[in-house]
Amino acid sequence: QVQLVESGGGLVQAGGSLRLSCAASGSDFSILTMGWYRQAPGKQRDLVATITSGDTNYADSVKGRFTIYRDNTKNTMYLQMNSLKPEDTAVYYCTTRARTGGIIRNYWGQGTQVTVSS
């Protein structure tokens, strides 16, 4: 099993910045990829960004504003969010695809709320 704990959400004014963190813990696991998704009220959960062995991928709506990166020594992933817009308001979820005991599966965090006021 892999546990993911997000932190760093909150309320910020448009144009401001936030940094989200996602700490992965467990026993004897190997992370294959990590990413962030977000879900606004009444909408589906959408991809924000992913990182795999240093390669990154972003949704068009956040390119140039958000940066995803990892600290492998801490098993922690970050999402630096700059120039935030009201439409970035959502619950942000951390996810990882990891191998534990020879089984590969996806894990999700509990989510952290990001609210951007206009």
Side-chain angles (χ1 to χ4, degrees), residues 1-4 24-35 51 70 75 95-108:
Q1 291 287 329
V2 177
Q3 292 79 44
L4 300 175
S25 63
S27 60
D28 191 25
F29 67 96
S30 175
I31 291 175
L32 304 178
T33 187
M34 296 189 80
I51 183 166
R70 284 176 61 182
N75 277 331
T95 184
T96 185
R97 187 164 181 81
R99 178 185 290 110
T100 59
I103 299 173
I104 297 174
R105 58 161 289 187
N106 297 323
Y107 298 87
W108 292 85

Side-chain angles (χ1 to χ4, degrees), residues 3 12-13 19 24 29 43 91 103 107:
Q3 292 79 44
V12 64
Q13 289 188 331
R19 189 181 76 161
F29 67 96
K43 296 188 177 181
V91 177
I103 299 173
Y107 298 87

Side-chain angles (χ1 to χ4, degrees), residues 30-100:
S30 175
I31 291 175
L32 304 178
T33 187
M34 296 189 80
W36 291 95
Y37 282 70
R38 66 186 181 186
Q39 187 168 19
K43 296 188 177 181
Q44 66 182 19
R45 190 173 297 187
D46 291 328
L47 171 71
V48 176
T50 61
I51 183 166
T52 304
S53 298
D55 292 331
T56 58
N57 177 58
Y58 296 93
D60 287 343
S61 59
V62 306
K63 282 181 181 177
R65 299 188 299 121
F66 291 11
T67 302
I68 187 172
Y69 61 101
R70 284 176 61 182
D71 183 342
N72 292 329
T73 65
K74 299 179 181 179
N75 277 331
T76 300
M77 173 182 64
Y78 302 92
L79 185 68
Q80 178 66 45
M81 305 185 294
N82 299 328
S83 302
L84 282 161
K85 305 175 181 180
E87 50 263 44
D88 294 319
T89 295
V91 177
Y92 284 70
Y93 295 92
C94 166
T95 184
T96 185
R97 187 164 181 81
R99 178 185 290 110
T100 59

Side-chain angles (χ1 to χ4, degrees), residues 6-23:
E6 301 111 330
S7 61
L11 173 64
V12 64
Q13 289 188 331
S17 299
L18 283 175
R19 189 181 76 161
L20 304 183
S21 300
C22 173

